[in-house]
């Protein structure tokens, strides 16, 4: 894993998907070039630059369809190889979108899009994607083999999380308990006894992760140094941050966060982030003003006043502010006190379910973004009544106040809505990752994922 503008990414995935885009552009260009050639009997002199521009534009439709289909997730792409339904749907969506764009642009910019080569270009693009997907295993390669130094609960939990969440990029090859360690939290058949250097050789481990229960335990320092000098990789449980893109509370000691890099945002990044917030919020308010008016009328007609509801939340630095949302619940939703929303919550109005699924109820918070109370991307704002309980359970919860709350955020996208204290603890792990690694690049990743969630209506309660 490598850090790109503070965000951990897999270089193998990045190389593969960049290669796929290059193959896609070439395939679209080849298909598009056949249309005019066939129509004119092989006339020469067709300008190259406009053709490349058209192919690059068309590739965005295919890339967008693959992204919406979760096919840039290696796990999903591998699962889809069995029947290809998800890939075929994505190719169909891309082709339809490309045809609609061709028709629309033909009336506005005659001679600019694909015209007679549309079918051939779409065919070339589809064949390019299929070829690239067929070569995925060869390009991405085998998973990196990981050996854990330790066989206790910390090593076990991290190994389970890596196998479950880390996109198939890592393979756990065993657990090597240090000399004198008695605690075993993993099955006997995955425990590898013997000198560490010999265990690494037999297991063909590429990464050794130190995950001991007791930091005072004797480390085989000479062996670990020898592995490093021979080009091997030795890591500790901070490996979890890179592999899982979250900071597991059960594995990372709070004291470690005090000395680690991160949790600081430069003035330039803060200024740029604020500029993006202002431009984004203002643009969305102008663009979505008709939709907001329609939502207000819909709530008014179906359930009367009030159309909006206000609520106090805690923002950056612990400062209280008030948010406004379109009302999606009954007027007496909290007559028994504050409570988190749940799946199929009976308090939610029928029209409210639609508004929540489409995220239209969140639009008035754009005003909070303009005011500076919130950002487009950040931790979900919480109410003080919940914060007291969550902070008592998870002292690190107060670190969320280092950042402005967001309309969307890393935790909301990666985990979804948390309706219990335990679920809020898991979301905190993603919030800590975002706060530690805040950057415009990570914000862009979040905004693209938010657009996908909104379009597909995922994760609402």
């Amino acid at each position: 894993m490598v850090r790109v503008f503070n965000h951990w990414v897999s270089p193998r995935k990045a190389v593969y998907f960049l290669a796929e885009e290059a193959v896609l552009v070439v395939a679209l260009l080849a298909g598009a070039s056949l249309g005019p050639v066939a129509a004119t009997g092989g006339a020469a002199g067709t300008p190259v630059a406009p053709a490349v521009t058209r192919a690059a534009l068309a590739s965005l439709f295919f890339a967008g369809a693959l992204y919406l289909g979760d096919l840039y997730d290696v796990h999903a792409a591998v699962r889809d190889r069995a029947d290809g339904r998800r890939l075929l749907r994505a190719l169909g969506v891309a082709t339809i979108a490309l045809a609609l764009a061709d028709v629309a642009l033909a009336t506005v910019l005659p001679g600019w899009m694909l015209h007679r080569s549309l079918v051939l270009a779409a065919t070339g693009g589809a064949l390019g994607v299929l070829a690239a997907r067929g070569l995925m295993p060869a390009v991405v390669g085998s998973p990196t083999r990981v050996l854990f130094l330790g066989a206790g609960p910390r090593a076990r939990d991290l190994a389970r999380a890596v196998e479950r969440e880390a996109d198939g990029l890592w393979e756990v090859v065993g657990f090597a308990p240090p000399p004198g360690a008695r605690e075993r939290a993993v099955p006997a058949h995955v425990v590898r006894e013997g000198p560490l250097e010999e265990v690494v050789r037999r297991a063909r481990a590429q990464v050794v992760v130190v995950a001991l229960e007791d930091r005072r335990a004797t480390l085989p320092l000479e062996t670990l140094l020898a592995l490093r000098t021979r080009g091997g990789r030795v890591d500790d449980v901070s490996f979890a941050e890179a592999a899982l893109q979250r900071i597991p509370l059960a594995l990372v000691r709070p004291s470690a966060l005090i000395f680690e890099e991160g949790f600081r945002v430069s003035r330039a990044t803060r200024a740029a982030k604020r500029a993006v917030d202002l431009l984004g919020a203002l643009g969305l308010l102008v663009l979505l003003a008709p939709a907001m008016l329609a939502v207000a009328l819909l709530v008014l007609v179906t359930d009367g006043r009030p159309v909006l509801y206000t609520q106090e939340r805690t923002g950056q630095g612990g400062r209280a502010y008030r948010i406004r949302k379109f009302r999606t619940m009954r007027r007496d939703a909290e007559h028994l006190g504050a409570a988190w929303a749940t799946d199929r919550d009976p308090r939610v109005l029928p029209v409210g379910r639609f508004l929540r699924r489409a995220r239209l109820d969140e639009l008035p918070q754009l005003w909070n973004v303009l005011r500076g109370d919130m950002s487009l991307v950040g931790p979900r704002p919480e109410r003080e009544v919940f914060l007291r309980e969550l902070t008592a359970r998870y002292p690190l919860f107060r670190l969320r106040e280092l950042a402005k709350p967001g309309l969307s955020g890393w935790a909301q996208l990666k985990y979804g809505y948390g309706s219990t204290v335990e679920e809020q603890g898991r979301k905190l792990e993603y919030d800590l990752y975002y706060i530690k690694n805040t950057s415009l690049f990570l914000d862009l990743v979040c905004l693209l994922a938010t657009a996908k969630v909104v379009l597909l209506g995922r994760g609402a309660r």
Side-chain angles (χ1 to χ4, degrees):
M1 303 291 283
V2 296
R3 290 171 72 92
V4 178
F5 301 108
N6 284 1
H7 181 44
W8 288 100
V9 299
S10 165
R12 290 184 296 167
K13 280 179 61 176
V15 167
Y16 167 73
F17 293 123
L18 288 174
E20 181 181 62
E21 289 306 303
V23 169
L24 184 55
V25 170
V26 171
L28 284 162
L29 186 60
S33 67
L34 292 176
V37 170
T40 60
T46 303
V48 174
V52 173
T53 303
R54 289 194 294 267
L57 177 64
S59 73
L60 297 179
F61 290 93
F62 283 89
L66 293 170
Y67 181 68
L68 289 176
D70 288 331
L71 289 167
Y72 286 139
D73 178 323
V74 173
H75 269 320
V78 170
R79 288 194 302 268
D80 189 64
R81 287 172 63 85
D83 54 24
R85 285 183 296 179
R86 186 176 294 192
L87 179 58
L88 291 176
R89 281 198 302 268
L91 293 177
V93 168
T95 302
I96 293 171
L98 188 60
L100 293 175
D102 185 64
V103 172
L105 283 178
T107 60
V108 179
L109 299 172
W112 202 82
M113 273 294 280
L114 300 170
H115 302 300
R116 292 166 293 183
S117 58
L118 174 62
V119 174
L120 290 169
T123 303
L127 292 175
V129 170
L130 291 172
R133 293 282 154 169
L135 294 173
M136 176 186 285
V139 178
V140 174
S142 302
T144 301
R145 298 172 67 83
V146 181
L147 176 73
F148 286 91
L149 180 57
R154 288 165 65 82
R156 176 201 61 199
D157 293 344
L158 179 53
R160 286 177 178 174
V162 166
E163 290 183 327
R164 185 173 59 247
E165 303 175 34
D167 220 6
L169 298 172
W170 311 91
E171 179 186 359
V172 177
V173 296
F175 301 82
R182 297 181 179 180
E183 187 173 15
R184 300 285 193 276
V186 297
H189 71 274
V190 295
V191 175
R192 295 179 178 265
E193 302 281 2
L196 181 59
E197 194 167 9
E198 179 64 20
V199 169
V200 170
R201 187 187 64 79
R202 290 200 311 265
R204 293 181 288 115
Q206 298 165 277
V207 179
V208 176
V209 177
V210 180
L212 301 176
E213 298 302 306
D214 188 352
R215 288 290 181 93
R216 295 170 297 180
T218 302
L219 282 175
L221 292 177
E222 292 186 5
T223 303
L224 293 175
L225 285 172
L227 290 172
R228 286 294 303 271
T229 56
R230 288 200 297 269
R233 177 178 167 187
V234 179
D235 212 334
D236 60 10
V237 291
S238 61
F239 163 83
E241 179 186 337
L244 306 177
Q245 297 183 331
R246 59 183 173 91
I247 300 179
L249 299 178
L251 302 176
V252 178
R253 293 174 174 84
S255 59
L257 299 181
I258 297 174
F259 303 103
E260 283 200 19
E261 291 294 323
F263 297 101
R264 291 188 297 270
V265 182
S266 68
R267 289 184 179 181
T269 299
R270 283 198 299 267
K273 186 174 170 66
R274 181 60 183 151
V276 171
D277 287 342
L278 287 171
L279 292 174
L282 187 60
L284 288 172
L285 280 171
V286 172
L287 182 65
L288 298 175
M292 293 176 68
L293 178 60
V295 170
L297 292 173
L298 188 61
V299 175
L300 182 64
V301 169
T302 57
D303 201 62
R305 297 175 183 272
V307 170
L308 298 173
Y309 85 93
T310 64
Q311 207 172 65
E312 189 173 274
R313 299 289 174 96
T314 300
Q316 189 176 32
R319 184 174 61 87
Y321 71 99
R322 299 195 71 82
I323 65 166
R324 289 172 176 80
K325 291 186 178 185
F326 287 116
R327 184 169 62 87
T328 58
M329 289 188 174
R330 302 193 312 259
R331 285 180 286 272
D332 63 346
E334 294 194 340
H335 69 284
L336 296 177
W340 282 303
T342 59
D343 284 326
R344 299 184 180 179
D345 197 312
R347 300 173 298 167
V348 178
L349 301 167
V351 68
R353 298 191 189 282
F354 163 72
L355 296 180
R356 285 174 170 243
R357 188 166 58 251
R359 302 307 196 276
L360 294 173
D361 61 316
E362 308 277 357
L363 293 180
Q365 291 179 89
L366 290 168
W367 176 248
N368 292 105
V369 177
L370 282 179
R371 283 170 46 91
D373 300 323
M374 297 178 64
S375 177
L376 291 176
V377 180
R380 179 182 174 84
E382 281 295 348
R383 300 167 66 177
E384 184 62 32
V385 63
F386 295 139
L387 276 177
R388 288 194 294 270
E389 180 182 5
L390 292 169
T391 305
R393 177 74 174 273
Y394 306 108
L396 292 176
F397 213 88
R398 284 292 180 186
L399 284 177
R400 297 168 80 256
E401 295 176 5
L402 291 173
K404 287 183 180 180
L407 275 178
S408 181
W410 189 245
Q412 293 99 296
L413 293 164
K414 299 294 284 187
Y415 190 77
Y417 192 90
S419 58
T420 66
V421 173
E422 291 72 22
E423 289 178 346
Q424 290 289 337
R426 177 55 65 89
K427 284 189 65 177
L428 174 60
E429 297 176 351
Y430 291 103
D431 281 331
L432 291 176
Y433 177 90
Y434 173 80
I435 295 166
K436 181 184 176 185
N437 301 293
T438 297
S439 68
L440 292 178
F441 177 73
L442 185 52
D443 278 9
L444 176 62
V445 171
C446 290
L447 291 174
L448 289 174
T450 300
K452 178 168 69 172
V453 167
V454 170
L455 288 172
L456 300 179
R458 294 176 176 174
R461 290 191 180 184

